[in-house]
Amino acid sequence: MSEVEVLIGGGEAEVRLRSLQDWLRADETLNGSLRARLAVSGPADTEAMGFVFDVLELAIGSGLSAGALAVSILQWRQAQRVKRELTLRRGDVEVRIPVGDAADEELVGRIVALLDEDLDEDGDERRSA
């Protein structure tokens, strides 16, 4: 099972990530091959009362199509009234989806490549001999 982190720019990150989490859970094309949970990327702000969830962690099962997940994330983003920058991170590899980007073939291809990339447990790309 591979893991991908989703981060979102701008305010209300927790609300927006919860919305994406609900969207992914409801998407029938993902066939339940995905587990999503909110997480905290670092220590709590000293002025905050508790933690603020600012990362959505996705655990991706082997039967899940990377293309279906990429399309679902992009569809969710397109459905939002206010578009925010999204970052998908897997190990040391990131794909940023800027505010103005439409879901073109190149962007979908970069996301699918990130999701399909074979990484070892340290987050480094595995090399074929």
Side-chain angles (χ1 to χ4, degrees):
M1 192 168 278
S2 61
E3 294 188 10
V4 174
E5 295 179 331
V6 180
L7 299 95
I8 193 162
E12 301 179 338
E14 183 173 349
V15 171
R16 294 176 189 283
L17 290 171
R18 282 187 192 281
S19 170
L20 175 56
Q21 181 181 33
D22 292 343
W23 178 281
L24 295 173
R25 284 182 177 159
D27 189 336
E28 294 176 2
T29 64
L30 302 180
N31 297 325
S33 297
L34 176 76
R35 286 189 308 214
R37 73 179 187 102
L38 292 168
V40 178
S41 64
D45 185 352
T46 55
E47 296 178 19
M49 297 182 71
F51 291 99
V52 175
F53 295 108
D54 58 355
V55 175
L56 182 62
E57 295 177 340
L58 305 177
I60 303 167
S62 60
L64 180 65
S65 160
L69 179 56
V71 167
S72 188
I73 290 170
L74 292 170
Q75 284 175 335
W76 170 83
R77 185 169 176 264
Q78 190 63 32
Q80 304 304 298
R81 274 188 285 157
V82 177
K83 312 286 188 278
R84 303 280 188 207
E85 179 178 277
L86 286 177
T87 301
L88 304 178
R89 184 182 331 163
R90 184 163 178 224
D92 292 335
V93 181
E94 287 187 354
V95 174
R96 291 188 186 275
I97 306 168
V99 173
D101 272 7
D104 62 14
E105 286 183 38
E106 180 185 348
L107 179 59
V108 173
R110 289 187 357 240
I111 295 170
V112 170
L114 170 77
L115 297 173
D116 274 346
E117 195 169 85
D118 192 15
L119 302 179
D120 65 21
E121 285 133 21
D122 295 329
D124 298 323
E125 185 178 352
R126 287 189 184 151
R127 304 262 185 236
S128 300

